[in-house]
Amino acid sequence: MIWNTMMGTSILSIPWGIKQAGFTTGMCVIMLMGILTLYCCYRVVKSRSMISSVDTSTWEYPDVCRYYFGSFGQWSSLLFSLVSLIGAMIVYWVLMSNFLFNTGRFIFNFIHHINDTDAVLSTNDSNPVICPSAGSGDHPNNGSMIFYANDTGLEQFEKWWNKSKTVPFYLIGLLLPLLNFKSPSFFSKFNILGTVSVLYLIFLVTFKAIHLGFHLEFHWFMQTEYFVPEIRFQFPQLTGVLTLAFFIHNCIITLLKNNKNQENNVRDLSIAYMLVTLTYLYIGVLVFASFPSPPLTKDCIEQNFLDNFPSSDILSFIARIFLLFQMMTVYPLLGYLARVQLLGHVFGDVYPSIFHVLALNLIIVGAGVIMACFYPNIGGIIRYSGAACGLAFVFIYPSLIYMISLRQEDRLTWPKLIFHIFIIILGLANLIVQFFM
């Protein structure tokens, strides 16, 4: 359950993050971030048991924050929780636009017998891999199809089916009405799609790696024509992505409180984090190692690694279909959580009126459309929102609450104080450095 909940859209950006950090550095960063976020999540799980003066059996983590920090803790935890939710919804909108665009392009190309690998730099073999940004993984191709014919039908399709100018708006008519439902119970029935999607991605990258083989050449500090160095100073971009990739701290108490055997919570949490870490390592390492360089370069790895496969690739088309339907069912759930947290705290009612709900949903949808049109870089969105929400829920609050509770019991020692202050400093540095990378 925890593994299924934690695995999200960040998995698509892990190979890009490894490319930014360097192969060896990337693997080390994934393991270290997994251990660090696991420890901070453990501190969240144990935070209620540190309070002995009141009954905390029904408390959530914002209640714990309110106990220690008053109204500031309550409202600041709400703010950072909304940052994580809305950030995830923006990433979902960008990805859904991407998947819908490529799905439409696959159907159109299939009907008209168009080979879209001719328009971009590719391996040009029976199992092609493409470089949409022609060597710059940081600036993905946000335009539409490139055609060499002056056919009117092709021109009209290119005009009305554009990844950044039209497709993001088409989603409004489908998803905005779903956000206004009073209950998300219908969409919660499709949670199994998340597990199926991740399992299919594992199959996809395994199949591609078998066919492409490994392309690795180790250069520790020097960039070569086809390979990035093993150690790159852009590794904080990966830590920002991983902060959100391992982020479950704001709902872990809710997920674990229904366990029949509460004494197994720590064990289950540790197993879940180990599985998530192994999944990220497996997909990230296989995609990076099997990316064909030469003839392409490792810098071609996109922020969404599915963009490195042409829309005509059938296996990638199936993956996009799975992910599109999964995200279309999860998106209303995220919107419901955002509504419950914001409107519930402000108005005391999660559905004060259709006008309040519609206004909130228009703001959220508008943010997604704007980002899909002008900044469709999911790696950037994930690392900024991940570092921001992680600063509070992953690094600061768990460490501060633990130190305060120890101080109240006269059990705070210098090693524990220094260690948890160091964690807070890491969180601050993780956020600040994102704006300089």
Side-chain angles (χ1 to χ4, degrees), residues 316-369:
S316 302
F317 167 74
I318 296 173
R320 293 182 178 108
I321 288 291
F322 268 127
L323 290 167
L324 178 61
F325 279 102
Q326 180 223 347
M327 292 180 182
M328 288 176 64
T329 57
V330 173
Y331 188 84
L333 290 174
L334 295 176
Y336 176 79
L337 292 175
R339 183 206 313 169
V340 167
Q341 293 192 11
L342 182 59
L343 299 186
H345 277 77
V346 175
F347 298 101
D349 186 353
V350 299
Y351 206 98
S353 74
I354 183 61
F355 299 105
H356 291 84
V357 173
L358 183 59
L360 174 62
N361 292 336
L362 284 174
I363 293 173
I364 295 175
V365 168
V369 172

Side-chain angles (χ1 to χ4, degrees), residues 176-340:
L176 183 58
L178 301 181
L179 287 175
N180 297 315
F181 281 14
K182 286 189 176 182
S183 172
S185 57
F186 173 76
F187 303 102
S188 62
K189 299 176 183 178
F190 295 92
N191 281 343
I192 188 64
L193 285 176
T195 303
V196 173
S197 298
V198 174
L199 293 177
Y200 184 80
L201 284 178
I202 293 174
F203 160 77
L204 173 65
V205 298
T206 304
F207 180 85
K208 293 292 184 180
I210 292 173
H211 280 74
L212 294 171
F214 282 177
H215 302 266
L216 288 173
E217 184 177 315
F218 297 97
H219 296 276
W220 284 96
F221 302 104
M222 183 179 64
Q223 176 95 24
T224 64
E225 183 179 1
Y226 295 108
F227 295 90
V228 299
E230 295 304 295
I231 300 176
R232 303 184 84 179
F233 290 110
Q234 293 96 325
F235 73 89
Q237 296 186 8
L238 177 58
T239 64
V241 170
L242 291 173
T243 307
L244 192 63
F246 286 115
F247 184 73
I248 199 173
H249 301 62
N250 62 338
C251 61
I252 187 62
I253 292 178
T254 305
L255 292 175
L256 291 177
K257 69 167 47 176
N258 294 323
N259 270 9
K260 183 178 180 180
N261 299 314
Q262 289 293 304
E263 65 275 8
N264 295 332
N265 282 350
V266 176
R267 182 203 65 185
D268 295 343
L269 182 66
S270 301
I271 293 174
Y273 263 87
M274 181 185 69
L275 292 175
V276 171
T277 302
L278 291 176
T279 304
Y280 288 155
L281 279 172
Y282 185 83
I283 288 183
V285 168
L286 277 191
V287 173
F288 182 94
S290 64
F291 194 84
S293 55
L296 304 179
T297 70
K298 297 293 187 183
D299 273 327
C300 284
I301 297 176
E302 295 289 323
Q303 295 182 8
N304 171 8
F305 76 84
L306 289 178
D307 285 343
N308 286 117
F309 302 114
S311 60
S312 57
D313 183 88
I314 296 179
L315 291 178
S316 302
F317 167 74
I318 296 173
R320 293 182 178 108
I321 288 291
F322 268 127
L323 290 167
L324 178 61
F325 279 102
Q326 180 223 347
M327 292 180 182
M328 288 176 64
T329 57
V330 173
Y331 188 84
L333 290 174
L334 295 176
Y336 176 79
L337 292 175
R339 183 206 313 169
V340 167

Side-chain angles (χ1 to χ4, degrees), residues 87-105:
M89 294 181 74
I90 291 174
V91 172
Y92 271 46
W93 200 277
V94 174
L95 286 173
M96 287 187 293
S97 300
N98 180 305
F99 297 149
L100 182 60
F101 169 76
N102 281 286
T103 300
R105 187 164 72 172

Side-chain angles (χ1 to χ4, degrees), residues 64-74 396-397 400-401 404:
V64 178
C65 293
R66 184 178 65 240
Y67 175 84
Y68 283 100
F69 308 117
S71 60
F72 172 79
Q74 177 185 5
I396 293 183
Y397 287 154
L400 274 182
I401 288 174
I404 292 173

